[in-house]
Amino acid sequence: MAVERPAMSTPPSRLQLPPGPWRTVLEALCARFPRIPESQWRDRFARGRVLDQSGAPLPLDAPYRLGAEIQYFREVEQEPPMPGGEYVLHHDDHLLVAYKPHFLPVAPTGAWVRETLLTRLVALTGNTDLVPLHRLDRDTAGLVMFSTQPATRGAYQALFRERRIRKLYRAVAPPLPGLSFPHLHRSRLEAGEPFFRMREVEGEPNSETVIDVLERNGPTWTYQLEPVTGRKHQLRVHMAALGAPIIGDRYYPKLQPQDTDDLAAPLQLTAYALGFDDPLSGLARRFAA
């Protein structure tokens, strides 16, 4: 079966099959993605757009196996164009570090398949083995680190899993003259309403952010934010909870209309530096936008 490759060498999404009672991969995918009709999944199998870990097309009756990694190509009929401005800071045999502009997704998600940083970098480098080692919100700009090959990917993934990497962000927000800096903000974050927002609740803290001031610019200050933990929307929720929501935030403290992107008023949050000891060489490495 020939694989139908999408335009711009759009890389496939990856999924590790979760526990479940299913007999086939098809049944598992239908349960995992209930909004996609079974007929659409059958069509993808028929066109060779559901693959095993090695990239070989799976037959329609491929048996379900717990923990097996599969690949599939997401499809969106009408995809809104995204801004340009991405660029590569570093590229070697193991890592690629790139700058992501505001509004551009890191990898295929929601309404975006081709208009993503990953797809653009695959087209630029010709390397279909590129995998992001971490994510940034679509609204956030800044540095994203990619693994360039499977052989050493696990060593770099462990940096994030074991919190052995330092990530620094810049944010523009209202002043907080009543706080002493640096300030450590700790709270418990849980899913809120709607499902894509987070909220602070009572209980044992599961999120920490170190906040410092870089510049006091009159009606706004420029802050350095260092997440100790990596909860979804952590920096945005913490700043809003302190009474200084990040300029341009359409989620916090109040949900704003999401129908269109205002390219002239992006979220004033940028991931500007990454630092770590390289797990292969042992050398200290730092990348800054």
Side-chain angles (χ1 to χ4, degrees):
M1 182 187 302
V3 177
E4 177 189 320
R5 296 293 181 182
M8 287 185 63
S9 301
T10 303
S13 297
R14 290 175 167 81
L15 173 68
Q16 190 172 48
L17 294 178
W22 311 294
R23 296 172 302 163
T24 64
V25 173
L26 172 63
E27 291 179 1
L29 287 170
C30 289
R32 177 66 177 79
F33 303 104
R35 295 184 179 181
I36 301 176
E38 181 178 333
S39 60
Q40 188 170 334
W41 281 118
R42 287 178 174 273
D43 180 62
R44 292 186 188 182
F45 273 94
R47 291 185 287 118
R49 293 171 67 84
V50 182
L51 318 173
D52 65 14
Q53 185 175 12
S54 69
L58 288 170
L60 186 62
D61 60 353
Y64 160 81
R65 182 167 56 84
L66 174 63
E69 183 179 284
I70 65 166
Q71 305 178 58
Y72 62 94
F73 291 96
R74 299 181 68 258
E75 297 173 331
V76 175
E77 290 186 4
Q78 294 183 337
E79 188 169 349
M82 287 290 102
E86 69 280 354
Y87 59 89
V88 174
L89 283 81
H90 173 84
H91 190 189
D92 63 28
D93 290 340
H94 307 286
L95 293 176
L96 184 151
V97 182
Y99 176 86
K100 182 190 84 67
H102 293 286
F103 302 111
L104 183 69
V106 170
T109 182
W112 295 274
V113 174
R114 296 175 299 277
E115 293 290 321
T116 71
L117 180 62
L118 175 60
T119 302
R120 292 178 180 182
L121 292 175
V122 169
L124 175 67
T125 64
N127 183 1
T128 57
D129 285 329
L130 282 180
V131 171
L133 293 167
H134 61 118
R135 300 293 177 100
L136 292 181
D137 297 339
R138 190 172 74 86
D139 290 341
T140 304
L143 301 186
V144 183
M145 194 160 77
F146 293 79
S147 163
T148 63
Q149 60 163 297
T152 57
R153 184 165 300 146
Y156 291 100
Q157 288 173 328
L159 293 174
F160 294 88
R161 185 174 61 252
E162 298 169 5
R163 300 180 186 174
R164 292 187 286 119
I165 187 162
R166 189 181 187 196
K167 296 178 285 185
L168 298 178
Y169 294 71
R170 283 196 182 97
V172 180
L176 290 169
L179 286 185
S180 298
F181 294 96
H183 172 79
L184 175 64
H185 186 81
R186 304 175 73 241
S187 69
R188 183 167 191 83
L189 296 183
E190 292 184 356
E193 293 290 340
F195 68 93
F196 51 81
R197 297 178 79 224
M198 300 294 286
R199 61 186 180 125
E200 290 191 335
V201 298
E202 297 293 330
E204 182 68 22
N206 60 5
S207 64
E208 296 185 13
T209 302
V210 178
I211 303 168
D212 211 344
V213 179
L214 297 176
E215 296 180 12
R216 290 170 167 81
N217 309 317
T220 61
W221 288 1
T222 301
Y223 297 87
Q224 176 177 280
L225 310 180
E226 181 176 357
V228 180
T229 55
R231 298 287 173 178
K232 178 182 177 180
H233 293 173
Q234 175 179 316
L235 304 181
R236 299 165 70 170
V237 176
H238 283 181
M239 290 300 289
L242 290 170
I246 299 172
I247 302 300
D249 198 335
R250 299 183 296 170
Y251 282 15
Y252 307 98
K254 184 178 179 181
L255 184 63
Q256 303 295 322
Q258 303 292 308
D259 50 347
T260 59
D261 293 327
D262 185 352
L263 302 184
L267 177 71
Q268 295 298 296
L269 180 63
T270 301
Y272 78 91
L274 293 167
F276 58 94
D277 290 335
D278 192 283
L280 302 183
S281 68
L283 298 176
R285 306 185 76 174
R286 186 177 187 273
F287 303 102

